[in-house]
Amino acid sequence: MRISGRLLLTACAVAVAVAAVWGGLDAAHDPTARGAPPRPAAVLDARHVGAMQAVSALAVLRDWDRARASAWAHGDRAALRRLYAAGSTAGRHDVAMLDRWTRRGLRVRGMSMQVLGVRLRARTRHRVVLVVTDRLVGAYAVTRGRRVALPRDNASTRRLEFRRVDGRWLMASVRQAS
């Protein structure tokens, strides 16, 4: 069974609501495309931000990505929906994509975001804005007990806005970084 690369990339784009580097990366600038080990995530821009704010902003992203991966692995529509702020377009798209995969009998497991770069744009008690460059790694689909390889994801850069609602960080918006 072959899974559409476009479908996966769309899923990654919404899910990959997570990674940013100045101007984006392409395969020509990707060290792993040439067999080199992956680069560590870029240091958060701390010129106007304290170290604790930078570390806690990155933790918000990491925890959100893990919760999203769990929702996808279990095909849990409600859990996925709870990760997004009310009215989030990205949330609607992500849930709709999960629905399409589960209707086809597919679960996505091993979903992990490789953060190649991240810049903290804003951090308050109730809002975090990151520009993140990342890509999906390690993910595979499972259908009827059979593991199906997914196409390799390319790095993408997005502006992610998280909002703290009732003590939880929710994804409010995901936009292509400019």
Side-chain angles (χ1 to χ4, degrees):
M1 172 182 207
R2 187 161 173 86
I3 297 173
S4 160
R6 180 181 166 131
L7 179 60
L8 176 66
L9 289 177
T10 303
C12 294
V14 173
V16 177
V18 275
V21 163
W22 322 257
L25 296 175
D26 59 21
H29 295 95
D30 178 3
T32 59
R34 295 184 303 270
R39 287 181 279 178
V43 176
L44 286 167
D45 184 356
R47 287 177 286 183
H48 307 291
V49 177
M52 289 300 291
Q53 285 181 309
V55 169
S56 69
L58 194 54
V60 167
L61 173 62
R62 183 203 64 218
D63 292 346
W64 189 89
D65 278 339
R66 286 180 180 165
R68 182 177 180 271
S70 177
W72 269 83
H74 293 97
D76 190 338
R77 180 182 211 280
L80 184 60
R81 183 71 212 126
R82 286 190 300 268
L83 295 174
Y84 291 91
S88 168
T89 300
R92 281 193 306 276
H93 289 289
D94 204 14
V95 170
M97 189 175 322
L98 177 65
D99 288 346
R100 287 190 301 272
W101 283 63
T102 56
R103 276 194 308 270
R104 292 172 55 203
L106 297 166
R107 293 286 190 272
V108 178
R109 304 257 164 80
M111 194 183 253
S112 179
M113 298 310 299
Q114 179 184 35
V115 177
L116 302 170
V118 61
R119 292 186 65 110
L120 178 59
R121 293 295 188 196
R123 174 75 162 104
T124 68
R125 290 181 56 204
H126 299 285
R127 184 170 172 254
V128 172
V129 179
L130 300 169
V131 176
V132 180
T133 299
D134 64 3
R135 68 177 169 196
L136 181 66
V137 296
Y140 57 93
V142 176
T143 181
R144 294 178 203 84
R146 191 170 55 100
R147 187 176 173 150
V148 179
L150 298 177
R152 184 169 184 220
D153 187 27
N154 291 318
S156 58
T157 301
R158 301 204 168 13
R159 180 189 178 278
L160 309 174
E161 181 177 343
F162 292 92
R163 288 194 198 132
R164 193 162 181 84
V165 178
D166 295 329
R168 295 178 40 236
W169 286 105
L170 305 178
M171 183 68 71
S173 71
V174 177
R175 287 189 250 153
Q176 198 66 27
S178 53

